[in-house]
Amino acid sequence: MISVVGGTYREIDYDDVAMEIFGSGFRCVKFLLENKCAVEFNTTGSSEVSKFLAENKKVYENFNFDCIEYDEFITFKYSFALDDPTIFPSILNIKKSNKIYLTGTNIICYGMLETDFSVEGNKVVYDPQTSIKPIKFKDIGTADELIYIVNLNEARSIASSEDINEIKWYFFNEENVKAVIIKNGPYGATLYHENDEVQIPSFITDNVNKIGSGDVFTSSFGYYWMEMGLKLEECALYASMSTALYCDKKIYINTSSGPTFNYKRFANNKLTDICIYLAAPFFSIAELILIDKIRNAFLGFGVKVFSPFHDIGLGDDATIAKKDIEGINKSDIVFCVLDNLDPGTLVEIGYSMGNGKKMIGYHRTCYKPQLTMLNAGDVTIYNNLTTAIYHTIWNV
């Protein structure tokens, strides 16, 4: 059995037109239950959350939960998965519920907005869930064997350093971890254990259901380590594979004994020299907000971005057109926003096609016949923004 501590939240994804009840805690529970692991879930929520968990208990006989009553049903709203969510109620207005105290043999715990917790366990996996003043495990619990799973920003924040050697020193000497896994987006992750440094690959998937992918990595890693007793290197690799299946198909699969795994590894570790050209309209407020968010998402992956709005700005038409062409010529790949079929964007696409540029297109409103001429070029088109952005990275 595995005990889980974590949030149960409503998640709204405008990009995927979806509204679901998950949160990191329940998504972890879902993976474990789908793989026949008994679960004791400790969470906080409104009466709606309690009813939701009770309905799941009818489906999974090896599921038990303790839900501390809370007035609000905390909601995360995503314009798309790579954007920062809007949280309701505001973080400034979220009040703390009663504290959770948990003792167990195997514990997976996720940082929560509305609840503090204290844990004592033999094997513990801890995912703090935020890089903004993350709570350190040493301040909330004890473990015979502790494994941290963090992204790069969380690791830097916890260790108060951007130097990887100082980060490693902090986790092993101050947090007394058995191992720490640092995730780094499309680059995969790195497992640090004793004197070993093991690179864990990410995998290229047709779809990228990004919301909750980190939760699945943590829960599946805990499952392979605690329930199956596998080596840490195997646990991390299988967790990455389980995450790929979740991202592609939203399924919860034990990849250590599951079906054939056919996804290719992403092997490009030199994205810092890559430049992406953003071909998109930026006339309405909605268009300006969108292109700004897309640019920030790419910059978050460590690539260079040429955006006419950000890098050229306003000016006379001839000067702008000349600089746009220069930007396309210097780029490695062109990302096109096709909604509204903006004439300037179409000219940029036509020029890129004529010069053999690789292009990734995104739209939500175009009809297929409107995009017929793009079939003559090296263009792949998606109607999910997160998937389009990831495939741009994967294709450079």
Side-chain angles (χ1 to χ4, degrees):
M1 187 189 80
I2 295 177
S3 299
V4 177
V5 183
T8 306
Y9 308 131
R10 180 187 286 118
E11 299 169 346
I12 299 174
D13 180 6
Y14 294 148
D15 190 21
D16 204 33
V17 194
M19 181 172 67
E20 300 177 296
I21 299 175
F22 269 109
S24 54
F26 184 72
R27 188 172 279 105
C28 173
V29 168
K30 183 74 171 179
F31 180 91
L32 297 174
L33 292 174
E34 285 292 310
N35 288 284
K36 313 302 181 185
C37 176
V39 178
E40 180 72 43
F41 184 34
N42 296 265
T43 191
T44 301
S46 64
S47 59
E48 188 174 347
V49 170
S50 294
K51 291 176 183 178
F52 171 77
L53 296 175
E55 288 300 312
N56 276 271
K57 184 172 173 57
K58 295 177 184 178
V59 177
Y60 301 103
E61 61 181 17
N62 54 350
F63 174 44
N64 290 292
F65 69 91
D66 182 9
C67 182
I68 295 176
E69 185 177 346
Y70 191 72
D71 292 338
E72 302 282 359
F73 194 173
I74 295 176
T75 299
F76 286 70
K77 295 182 180 180
Y78 298 83
S79 56
F80 66 103
L82 291 172
D83 191 25
D84 292 329
T86 300
I87 302 173
F88 177 84
S90 166
I91 291 179
L92 298 176
N93 296 325
I94 291 179
K95 299 177 181 179
K96 293 289 186 178
S97 72
N98 294 333
K99 190 173 183 178
I100 293 173
Y101 296 89
L102 178 63
T103 300
T105 302
N106 299 315
I107 302 174
I108 300 175
C109 45
Y110 298 85
M112 301 171 67
L113 290 172
E114 76 286 17
T115 307
D116 293 325
F117 55 80
S118 176
V119 301
E120 296 180 16
N122 299 113
K123 287 185 174 181
V124 177
V125 173
Y126 179 49
D127 183 341
Q129 289 283 296
T130 181
S131 59
I132 302 173
K133 296 182 179 179
I135 297 174
K136 300 174 181 179
F137 184 81
K138 69 177 183 178
D139 295 331
I140 59 172
T142 60
D144 295 332
E145 295 180 283
L146 170 66
I147 294 180
Y148 256 90
I149 298 181
V150 291
N151 62 37
L152 187 57
N153 288 332
E154 290 166 347
R156 289 168 173 169
S157 181
I158 291 170
S160 300
S161 175
E162 295 197 359
D163 181 86
I164 190 59
N165 290 318
E166 292 180 0
I167 291 172
K168 288 190 294 183
W169 185 93
Y170 175 85
F171 278 103
F172 283 98
N173 291 276
E174 294 294 326
E175 294 287 324
N176 296 313
V177 299
K178 177 183 179 69
V180 57
I181 297 174
I182 300 179
K183 300 176 292 183
N184 192 16
Y187 296 105
T190 306
L191 166 67
Y192 298 98
H193 170 50
E194 296 178 342
N195 295 320
D196 294 331
E197 182 175 317
V198 182
Q199 297 302 314
I200 308 301
S202 63
F203 296 92
I204 298 172
T205 57
D206 291 337
N207 305 295
V208 184
N209 296 296
K210 183 73 173 59
I211 296 173
S213 60
D215 307 333
V216 170
F217 184 95
T218 297
S219 61
S220 58
F221 178 91
Y223 171 78
Y224 298 128
W225 181 43
M226 298 169 177
E227 191 74 6
M228 300 193 66
L230 302 180
K231 295 179 180 179
L232 295 183
E233 294 86 345
E234 295 176 315
C235 295
L237 176 59
Y238 288 136
S240 185
M241 294 165 66
S242 290
T243 303
L245 282 163
Y246 171 81
C247 285
D248 193 24
K249 304 179 185 297
K250 282 194 173 181
I251 55 178
Y252 305 85
I253 299 295
N254 172 3
T255 51
S256 70
S257 59
T260 302
F261 187 84
N262 295 318
Y263 298 98
K264 293 182 179 178
R265 299 186 179 199
F266 178 62
N268 189 344
N269 291 319
K270 297 181 180 179
L271 296 181
T272 53
D273 296 328
I274 297 299
C275 183
I276 297 169
Y277 184 93
L278 298 187
F282 46 83
F283 303 104
S284 70
I285 291 178
E287 290 170 342
L288 287 168
I289 292 172
L290 179 62
I291 197 65
D292 196 53
K293 289 180 180 294
I294 292 172
R295 177 175 178 267
N296 287 340
F298 280 125
L299 291 174
F301 287 136
V303 299
K304 297 182 178 68
V305 179
F306 186 94
S307 165
F309 172 70
H310 294 89
D311 296 303
I312 300 175
L314 303 177
D316 65 275
D317 292 347
T319 300
I320 290 175
K322 181 180 179 181
K323 290 183 177 179
D324 282 356
I325 295 300
E326 291 175 354
I328 293 173
N329 289 338
K330 293 178 181 178
S331 68
D332 297 281
I333 192 168
V334 178
F335 184 90
C336 323
V337 177
L338 300 168
D339 285 321
N340 301 323
L341 297 172
D342 167 61
T345 302
L346 294 177
V347 169
E348 291 172 313
I349 292 171
Y351 180 83
S352 300
M353 288 175 61
N355 285 274
K357 288 287 183 180
K358 173 72 179 178
M359 288 181 283
I360 298 293
Y362 163 74
H363 79 91
R364 287 289 294 274
T365 61
C366 299
Y367 295 105
K368 190 174 182 179
Q370 296 175 303
L371 307 176
T372 299
M373 291 302 291
L374 296 184
N375 294 329
D378 190 5
V379 188
T380 307
I381 300 173
Y382 299 90
N383 58 17
N384 180 277
L385 182 53
T386 302
T387 299
I389 289 172
Y390 262 84
H391 276 272
T392 304
I393 296 295
W394 287 334
N395 278 278
V396 294

